[in-house]
Amino acid sequence: RRRRAAKAEAAAPKPLQTNNPDRDQEPEPPASPKKTKNVKQHSLFVIFDQPNEDSDQRLTHWLREKGAHYDALKKIFLIDGQQPSNPVTVANAFPPGEMPDLLRGESHDPIRGISLLVKPPLRKRRNQQMHVYVELAKEMQTVFSGKMLNAEREPATDSTFEEIIGE
């Protein structure tokens, strides 16, 4: 009985082993595009046309209006939006990351542009923050009449916003 079972096992895996590599190879190509679509963080940049004290005052007013709070350790502003656990980050684009505390009137050179950053949701049904993020970006572009750039430093378009919301 053992010999028969051993022969059956030896005979059975051979066809399965030849089929398994084919099966393993088929799922690999679809897996690689998913990895390229997997975004750790969305980023948009608003470059001000004419950075000066007036644009800094408008930015300060806009941040207050949005309920932004300053994180002194990271030197950035955070806007809670729909999901306070995943806030929209507002950071300085030049130099990257470090933003003066505009709400307290910290002295600084005029801000030339800002970065808007947000992490995509883990589940599609929790996509409300992406809508908030896109609305904030569009509003900033209008208020500051600047150039909106995507993560690749190319002009942001409606398709850019659709990709962000579609994540």
Side-chain angles (χ1 to χ4, degrees), residues 79-125:
I79 300 174
D80 290 340
Q82 292 290 322
Q83 295 170 319
S85 62
N86 184 23
V88 175
T89 301
V90 180
N92 199 344
F94 308 103
E98 298 205 3
M99 186 99 154
D101 190 351
L102 298 173
L103 301 178
R104 292 191 178 178
E106 200 173 284
S107 61
H108 60 281
D109 292 334
I111 295 172
R112 298 184 304 170
I114 61 164
S115 306
L116 289 171
L117 312 164
V118 70
K119 293 181 183 177
L122 297 175
R123 296 178 188 90
K124 286 185 180 180
R125 63 188 163 133

Side-chain angles (χ1 to χ4, degrees), residues 11 26 31 33 44 47 52 56 74 84 86 89 114 116 120 123 126 137 146 149 156 163-164:
E26 290 174 13
L44 292 170
I47 310 305
N52 55 29
D56 286 355
K74 295 179 182 178
N86 184 23
T89 301
I114 61 164
L116 289 171
R123 296 178 188 90
R126 295 186 144 187
L149 305 176
E163 287 177 23
I164 292 169

Side-chain angles (χ1 to χ4, degrees), residues 115-149:
S115 306
L116 289 171
L117 312 164
V118 70
K119 293 181 183 177
L122 297 175
R123 296 178 188 90
K124 286 185 180 180
R125 63 188 163 133
R126 295 186 144 187
N127 207 25
Q128 306 94 333
Q129 194 74 339
M130 297 304 105
H131 291 279
V132 170
Y133 176 70
V134 167
E135 290 305 314
L136 288 172
K138 287 179 178 179
E139 186 177 332
M140 286 213 79
Q141 185 178 15
T142 305
V143 169
F144 296 99
S145 64
K147 296 177 186 174
M148 175 74 66
L149 305 176

Side-chain angles (χ1 to χ4, degrees), residues 5-23:
K7 286 182 184 178
E9 285 180 28
K14 288 180 184 176
L16 291 175
Q17 287 176 353
T18 58
N19 289 339
N20 282 344
D22 293 338
R23 289 180 188 163

